[in-house]
Amino acid sequence: MDNVLAFGAASGQAGRVDALFVMIAVIGGFFFFLTQGLLIYFAVKYRRRLPDRDNETPAITGNPLLEFLWILIPSIVVVVIFYYGWRVYTDQRIPAAGATEVHVTARQWMYEIRYPDGRTAINEIRVPAGKPVKFLLSAADVLHGFYLPDFRVKMDMIPGRVTTLWVQPDRPGSYQIFCTVYCGTGHSNMLAKLIVMSPHEYEEWVEHGGREGDEGGEHEPLVVRGERILSNAGCLNCHAVEGKEKIGPNLRGLHGSKVPLEGGKSVTADEEYLRESIVDPGEKVVKGYPNVMPTYKASMPPDDVRAVVEYLKTLK
Amino acid sequence: MEGVGRMEAEGNGRGYLSERGWKSWAFTLDHKRIGAMYLWTTTVFFLIGGVFALLLRLELLSPQARYFSNHTYNVFFTLHGAMMIFLFIIPAIPSGLGNFFIPLHIGARDVAFPRLNLASYWVFAAGFLVIIGSLVAPMDTGWTFYTPYSAKSAAAVTTLSLGIFLIGMSSILTGLNFIVTIHKLRAPGMTWHRLPLFIWGMYSTSIIQVIATPVVGVTFLLLAAERIFGVGFFDPTKGGDPVLFQHFFWFYSHPVVYVMILPAMGIVSEVIPVFSRKPIFGYKAIAYSSVAIALGGFLVWGHHMFTSGMSPLANAIFSLMTFFVAVPTAVKVFNWTATLYRGSITFEAPMLYALTFIFLFIVGGLTGPFLGALATNVQLHDTYFVVAHFHYTMMGGTVMGFLAGLHYWFPKMTGRMLNEKVARVAWALIFVGFNVTFFTMFILGVRGMPRRYAEYLPKFHTENVISTIGSAVLAAGILVMCWNFLQGLRKGAPAPANPWRALSLEWRAASPPETENFPEIPLVTEWPYGYGTPKG
Amino acid sequence: MSDPSGEHGDPAVAFESAKLGVWTFLATEVLLFGALFTAYTVFRIRYPEMFRVEHAKLDRVLGAANTVVLITSSLMVVLGVDAIKRGKARLLEAYFGATILLAGVFLCVKYAEYAAKFHHGIYPRTNLFFSIYFMLTGLHGIHVLLGMGVLSYVIILSRRGRLSASYYTPAEMSGLYWHFVDLVWIYLFPLLYLVG
């Protein structure tokens, strides 16, 4: 029955949450129509008939049996709902054996991913389908959230603590991850993806050193590669290419322009400036943009940085 | 009812409003004037908070930031939340209508400590001035002030914390005053079971205010101390615990939703019998369920934190307790509905708002179990589903109750009648606008849109546009209503002492009441719900 | 603090009201300190070692002396209230004056303790134990200060001849408050200075 009721649920667990949702909706719907129905029915039926004279109204002040029943019945109903909700939740909290572990650290405003084998990534988690995966969540600065709507689960990410969450993705696909605990200016841009691959593709991807198809192959042009990295590394969560400015300065037209810095100096945005601003953003801070950007020294290899810089140069 | 006609005093015009000049207000010890000052102040903040809400809806017309930057959006939703909660919904009914009507309801000349009452208004005023002062570096932390963000934010969090501390102090003093007033100043013959249900609601509310508010006071002091002295209770880098802040915060802020809703339920319990011409059904159940909600409300704060990494056992206990608090609330709804049975119902504005309260509160109430049940809570927590749920209970509930109260008691407070036709137009706009605005948010929540998002994925666009259109209708309704109030104040028809033929004591005083409330303290011989005409 | 004046016709009602008001107020005070005691408990359980080491840095002798000072001051309040019940206004003023004096001694000792801590480079930000220590004793100190104000107000009332054997509500109510302030210290002293 799990999957019959699932609305695009991405796992069996999510299907069970949906079933619970439907059950509460049915019970709620019943009481909704009962109470609203009576409310409206009484309001219409017992409206005053004559403009100047009240209907005869009986002096009813209560009915012990009725009142007892409508304390008892809701009590039973809520205990049933509680029990069901608790059971589904408990099963959801106990990780299945042999789960792949993925460490996720949130910071303003990105998710840093670390796989057990040492691979790292930003804002993109890749896992094989059909195998449980356990997320070990933490935060580097303030509270963040880790919400997988398709799996019907979320967990807060708390600095100084590790919280956990596990899912068993059934089907390959790309699933949205949202930050759900308000974390400042870039909160609504703090997005990430859980990419579930078929086991076969996943194997291939791992063998390729974490690259897909011809991505990152020898023949991928530097600019194409730079664009891909730019969007995967979360840069666009804070920097717009064009349009309304986000948290940091816009990227279009940056290369070659004169950038005013904190402290009155200014600098021409050449290749070295762009590189430095990625790996060491606190070094030269643009006037009016207090530095909140994390360093990409560890998470972005020099080759990738070079590609990003090349791409930035094309944004005229 | 015997006694009503005899005790009815004809208004000599301006009653307690006779004295003029600012000093007659600023230094008044009259509970009615102090109540009126609270009503004016809180209504202004309601309108300001509403403007922020409209700005939020405007921005959400498009998925990308269009009119304001993300930071500005964050400031707006923080100010919307903080103003609505601390400066409108917590004080409006308790301090405003409560001040005005508790002494009138129980047959007293004033509250127990009139000077303390005036002091609490001015502490409140100091509080909101400090909060306004904090706008030099406006808050962007959300109204929950979660650490560590609030401890690090460059906004004037310290100033704001002190402002809220003052507001809390005012709230405590008011609650204390009401508890003593209700215990000690009831008119002769006014036994506990003859108290109007509004008083039961206010009494339960006052208990919460007195017990819960000091905890949030300390919490905000600690937050300020964290920023000033570097105290590390909530700072993980010093061994502190950000989740402890959440526990402290919700230990207050959950019970406080009952501070918001219980008095509104009291108003509805007053209005329904009057306009149905029927005794209230199950008086004792309604009265004691208020107290039960107030006490039970202290044991459920953890349900705001199911995803904060608490142990599954703690989560289970909080979830179960949450469900039990739902039962007395359901009982009240059943009782109100049963009161309508075989009544003689008329649909003046107060009754329309009271029925709307029940209607919307049922929706809010029935969406509660989704959030109380653990598994669905984990899904829906911090999404728009929560936003919709609490707007149905807080705005659909409390604000509708407040409006019912304002329309019901307007003739008593001002000595003038409102234009009934305009009131109904306003009501219709508010009802439609409200549902369009907030029902779509349930759908957004189920579809997974997180709250506090300045920008959102394009797939949520349609619902957001519908919601914004609804908010415009809602705003139009509120404007019409405000216009009607102002018109009523200026040139409404003179109100008789008892336009609704109600039996509770306040209607025995003149409209508007004299400073002394009653020519002589009334002798109470019956409960206030003796409606019904068994003999025809 | 409540301000029980003769605004109600019936003095008995006024007295009862004032009493209920003060007790309710004390209930909020309990919760105010209760939150901090909760924080104390949470962190004590989490970091027993830190509490054991750090609490030894507090001066037990000064703490004990202050305990004696406060208990004596509470005794003075009791004697003062008893005096006014017998109509002896001058005696009340003397006893309450003594209470205020003792409260002053308490604060001076507290000041000396704080100064010593600052001198050794110990501040509220030093660690969680001292965060709690300074928050709790600081909040308590503010209450002592407020108490001194309330007691002074009662003395002024008495000098103006407003208190008598038939009306002594302000004296009794301020006394209740003072006992509360004393009681908080009775909990603070062992929890911070003694329990290791």
Side-chain angles (χ1 to χ4, degrees):
Chain A
M1 94 164 208
D2 281 345
N3 289 320
V4 178
L5 294 166
F7 313 103
S11 68
Q13 287 291 356
R16 293 188 65 197
V17 176
D18 285 347
L20 170 67
F21 188 96
V22 170
M23 184 194 93
I24 300 175
V26 168
I27 294 175
F30 170 77
F31 281 99
F32 176 83
F33 285 111
L34 181 76
T35 46
Q36 305 286 37
L38 283 177
L39 185 73
I40 294 167
Y41 175 73
F42 286 165
V44 174
K45 172 125 198 256
Y46 299 112
R47 66 186 186 279
R48 187 166 74 189
R49 301 290 170 158
L50 302 167
D52 304 317
R53 219 177 60 119
D54 286 324
N55 311 343
E56 287 181 21
T57 56
I60 303 170
T61 57
N63 180 329
L65 178 66
L66 208 53
E67 291 182 57
F68 172 73
L69 282 180
W70 70 42
I71 292 174
L72 183 70
I73 294 171
S75 301
I76 294 171
V77 170
V78 294
V79 169
V80 169
I81 298 178
F82 158 76
Y83 179 75
Y84 192 7
W86 175 61
R87 282 304 303 272
V88 175
Y89 172 78
T90 312
D91 293 348
Q92 209 175 57
R93 293 302 307 160
I94 301 167
T100 321
E101 295 193 345
V102 179
H103 293 259
V104 185
T105 305
R107 63 170 70 244
Q108 287 170 324
W109 289 280
M110 55 163 58
Y111 295 94
E112 291 169 348
I113 321 298
R114 189 177 288 275
Y115 297 95
D117 60 10
R119 277 177 296 130
T120 60
I122 287 170
N123 291 346
E124 189 187 273
I125 306 174
R126 284 175 187 261
V127 293
K131 198 165 174 291
V133 50
K134 181 176 169 189
F135 302 103
L136 295 124
L137 308 170
S138 190
D141 38 31
V142 300
L143 296 173
H144 295 279
F146 189 84
Y147 174 31
L148 281 161
D150 300 295
F151 295 84
R152 317 288 189 252
V153 288
K154 70 167 65 67
M155 184 49 100
D156 292 0
M157 307 173 82
I158 303 162
R161 276 198 196 187
V162 174
T163 51
T164 59
L165 187 69
W166 77 273
V167 295
Q168 173 146 1
D170 287 342
R171 289 190 301 277
S174 169
Y175 301 100
Q176 186 67 47
I177 298 169
F178 288 115
C179 176
T180 41
V181 181
Y182 176 70
C183 58
T185 312
H187 174 52
S188 63
N189 304 112
M190 194 164 156
L191 309 173
K193 288 272 185 199
L194 175 68
I195 295 174
V196 178
M197 309 166 88
S198 67
H200 165 73
E201 277 175 49
Y202 181 76
E203 285 303 316
E204 231 169 59
W205 175 75
V206 171
E207 269 170 37
H208 270 78
R211 294 198 164 103
E212 204 176 0
D214 61 337
E215 262 183 15
E218 281 171 42
H219 303 299
E220 188 182 28
L222 215 49
V223 173
V224 175
R225 181 171 163 195
E227 184 176 11
R228 179 170 57 79
I229 291 166
L230 193 78
S231 59
N232 288 347
C235 308
L236 300 176
N237 286 359
C238 297
H239 298 277
V241 171
E242 49 208 325
K244 200 168 175 76
E245 208 160 73
K246 290 184 177 177
I247 294 142
N250 275 10
L251 298 177
R252 187 173 292 278
L254 179 57
H255 178 245
S257 69
K258 206 151 186 76
V259 180
L261 297 182
E262 279 303 335
K265 286 184 191 157
S266 66
V267 65
T268 304
D270 56 7
E271 284 87 346
E272 171 54 17
Y273 166 78
L274 293 176
R275 187 198 66 80
E276 188 187 40
S277 296
I278 295 171
V279 298
D280 203 355
E283 194 54 34
K284 296 196 175 76
V285 179
V286 186
K287 201 173 171 60
Y289 299 88
N291 183 37
V292 288
M293 181 169 153
T295 168
Y296 279 77
K297 200 174 272 174
S299 52
M300 203 183 275
D303 275 358
D304 287 4
V305 175
R306 202 168 301 136
V308 170
V309 172
E310 280 311 306
Y311 171 67
L312 290 180
K313 284 163 70 180
T314 65
L315 297 171
K316 298 219 173 68
Chain B
M1 281 301 10
E2 63 148 349
V4 176
R6 179 169 54 81
M7 297 293 294
E8 238 172 54
E10 282 310 311
N12 69 348
R14 300 193 35 88
Y16 76 101
L17 296 164
S18 304
E19 243 183 297
R20 284 167 193 273
W22 68 271
K23 277 189 187 169
S24 75
W25 287 93
F27 300 115
T28 183
L29 296 181
D30 184 347
H31 67 100
K32 298 182 288 300
R33 283 180 167 235
I34 294 170
M37 292 201 288
Y38 271 114
L39 282 178
W40 277 106
T41 317
T42 52
T43 305
V44 166
F45 283 114
F46 172 65
L47 295 176
I48 298 175
V51 169
F52 284 122
L54 290 173
L55 291 172
L56 296 176
R57 287 305 336 156
L58 179 70
E59 176 60 55
L60 292 175
L61 267 178
S62 83
Q64 296 301 312
R66 184 192 282 175
Y67 303 103
F68 320 111
S69 71
N70 289 9
H71 176 74
T72 312
Y73 179 89
N74 296 343
V75 167
F76 284 172
F77 79 64
T78 302
L79 291 177
H80 167 69
M83 279 193 174
M84 286 298 196
I85 300 272
F86 293 111
L87 299 180
F88 167 63
I89 205 164
I90 291 177
I93 303 187
S95 301
L97 291 175
N99 245 319
F100 205 107
F101 287 104
I102 287 177
L104 282 164
H105 259 158
I106 64 173
R109 298 209 186 279
D110 208 320
V111 293
F113 309 112
R115 279 191 248 168
L116 188 71
N117 200 18
L118 179 66
S120 35
Y121 178 80
W122 286 112
V123 171
F124 176 74
F128 74 69
L129 287 175
V130 170
I131 290 178
I132 290 171
S134 78
L135 293 183
V136 287
M139 292 285 292
D140 66 335
T141 62
W143 82 276
T144 52
F145 307 95
Y146 272 11
T147 54
Y149 186 70
S150 59
K152 294 178 175 182
S153 166
V157 179
T158 312
T159 320
L160 193 96
S161 302
L162 297 177
I164 291 175
F165 184 79
L166 289 170
I167 300 275
M169 236 166 95
S170 155
S171 181
I172 292 173
L173 296 179
T174 304
L176 182 154
N177 217 335
F178 289 171
I179 289 178
V180 177
T181 306
I182 295 169
H183 267 279
K184 299 293 175 192
L185 298 188
R186 302 192 308 275
M190 178 64 89
T191 59
W192 284 90
H193 286 157
R194 286 179 188 162
L195 283 174
L197 289 163
F198 178 64
I199 300 297
W200 277 100
M202 282 305 311
Y203 184 73
S204 315
T205 291
S206 303
I207 291 175
I208 301 172
Q209 282 178 305
V210 163
I211 295 180
T213 318
V215 176
V216 85
V218 165
T219 311
F220 280 104
L221 279 187
L222 289 176
L223 180 58
E226 183 147 342
R227 293 173 65 95
I228 301 171
F229 304 118
V231 165
F233 284 19
F234 309 131
D235 183 351
T237 60
K238 293 191 173 113
D241 186 351
V243 179
L244 184 67
F245 178 88
Q246 299 177 22
H247 280 289
F248 279 179
F249 182 82
W250 289 114
F251 180 82
Y252 165 76
S253 295
H254 189 76
V256 96
V257 308
Y258 303 115
V259 167
M260 306 171 194
I261 197 72
L262 286 172
M265 289 172 159
I267 292 172
V268 171
S269 309
E270 292 302 303
V271 171
I272 298 278
V274 171
F275 293 86
S276 312
R277 314 309 301 164
K278 273 269 314 289
I280 189 83
F281 188 97
Y283 173 91
K284 284 185 187 170
I286 296 184
Y288 293 135
S289 63
S290 292
V291 182
I293 291 170
L295 299 179
F298 278 103
L299 305 174
V300 302
W301 76 88
H303 72 218
H304 295 268
M305 303 164 58
F306 284 154
T307 64
S308 72
M310 271 196 303
S311 75
L313 178 68
N315 280 349
I317 292 169
F318 279 124
S319 169
L320 184 63
M321 292 308 300
T322 303
F323 276 112
F324 278 125
V325 173
V327 174
T329 326
V331 166
K332 281 178 192 277
V333 170
F334 296 140
N335 281 323
W336 292 322
T337 312
T339 304
L340 299 176
Y341 173 69
R342 294 180 67 189
S344 173
I345 303 167
T346 53
F347 298 96
E348 286 89 350
M351 185 62 165
L352 282 178
Y353 281 109
L355 291 174
T356 308
F357 172 101
I358 303 176
F359 184 92
L360 299 178
F361 192 77
I362 289 174
V363 179
L366 288 174
T367 49
F370 291 102
L371 297 170
L374 283 167
T376 36
N377 177 286
V378 170
Q379 174 194 358
L380 298 168
H381 179 65
D382 273 331
T383 68
Y384 262 80
F385 194 91
V386 177
V387 180
H389 167 72
F390 73 72
H391 278 92
Y392 263 89
T393 49
M394 292 294 105
M395 181 157 189
T398 307
V399 175
M400 292 306 144
F402 178 61
L403 296 182
L406 280 185
H407 285 85
Y408 179 58
W409 283 316
F410 190 87
K412 181 57 57 189
M413 293 189 286
T414 64
R416 291 178 187 279
M417 299 299 288
L418 284 169
N419 182 328
E420 190 60 34
K421 277 189 190 134
V422 181
R424 286 183 192 195
V425 171
W427 167 82
L429 287 170
I430 290 174
F431 182 75
V432 173
F434 177 87
N435 282 300
V436 173
T437 308
F438 293 107
F439 197 83
T440 40
M441 291 187 185
F442 282 123
I443 299 166
L444 277 174
V446 174
R447 294 190 59 209
M449 177 164 164
R451 62 193 286 207
R452 296 176 171 151
Y453 265 32
E455 299 181 276
Y456 53 88
L457 298 184
K459 66 174 177 176
F460 302 126
H461 192 194
T462 316
E463 288 94 333
N464 272 297
V465 171
I466 295 173
S467 179
T468 302
I469 294 170
S471 71
V473 178
L474 178 57
I478 303 247
L479 280 183
V480 173
M481 185 191 70
C482 289
W483 183 78
N484 194 26
F485 279 139
L486 292 177
Q487 287 298 97
L489 268 180
R490 281 176 48 217
K491 45 189 178 191
N498 191 358
W500 315 121
R501 299 180 296 145
L503 297 179
S504 46
L505 289 181
E506 79 271 30
W507 302 104
R508 297 197 198 175
S511 294
E514 298 296 333
T515 306
E516 295 285 285
N517 291 350
F518 305 98
E520 54 186 289
I521 294 295
L523 178 70
V524 182
T525 52
E526 287 189 82
W527 73 331
Y529 300 106
Y531 304 101
T533 50
K535 286 181 230 109
Chain C
M1 282 301 303
S2 71
D3 177 9
S5 48
E7 277 143 359
H8 313 291
D10 188 347
V13 172
F15 178 75
E16 288 297 315
S17 301
K19 204 162 162 185
L20 181 60
V22 172
W23 278 109
T24 314
F25 179 73
L26 294 184
T28 79
E29 291 280 62
V30 168
L31 268 293
L32 189 79
F33 282 98
L36 284 174
F37 280 120
T38 308
Y40 171 91
T41 313
V42 167
F43 291 124
R44 184 175 182 101
I45 291 169
R46 201 171 293 177
Y47 307 109
E49 188 56 25
M50 179 216 284
F51 275 66
R52 206 180 56 72
V53 174
E54 297 297 320
H55 94 284
K57 295 180 184 166
L58 294 177
D59 191 330
R60 288 184 180 185
V61 177
L62 286 182
N66 252 350
T67 311
V68 175
V69 167
L70 270 195
I71 290 176
T72 317
S73 78
S74 254
L75 179 67
M76 293 294 134
V77 165
V78 173
L79 291 173
V81 173
D82 183 59
I84 193 66
K85 280 182 179 169
R86 289 182 283 121
K88 297 181 175 165
R90 293 296 89 81
L91 201 55
L92 164 83
E93 289 152 29
Y95 278 127
F96 272 34
T99 310
I100 294 172
L101 202 70
L102 288 169
V105 170
F106 175 88
L107 287 180
C108 286
V109 172
K110 205 76 233 163
Y111 173 80
E113 281 190 73
Y114 275 22
K117 293 288 163 293
F118 294 155
H119 183 71
H120 290 104
I122 296 175
Y123 297 100
R125 64 168 176 275
T126 304
N127 58 38
L128 277 176
F129 178 81
F130 279 101
S131 290
I132 289 172
Y133 167 79
F134 280 107
M135 288 305 291
L136 268 173
T137 55
L139 193 65
H140 178 256
I142 292 171
H143 278 78
V144 172
L145 216 53
L146 289 177
M148 291 166 80
V150 172
L151 293 171
S152 312
Y153 176 69
V154 173
I155 292 181
I156 292 170
L157 280 183
S158 175
R159 304 267 338 153
R160 289 187 186 157
R162 300 272 290 276
L163 303 183
S164 64
S166 55
Y167 177 68
Y168 50 83
T169 312
E172 177 139 356
M173 298 308 136
S174 60
L176 266 179
Y177 174 75
W178 190 258
H179 293 319
F180 171 80
V181 173
D182 188 11
L183 192 68
V184 171
W185 180 257
I186 302 287
Y187 279 97
L188 282 185
F189 174 60
L191 284 180
L192 291 172
Y193 288 73
L194 301 183
V195 185

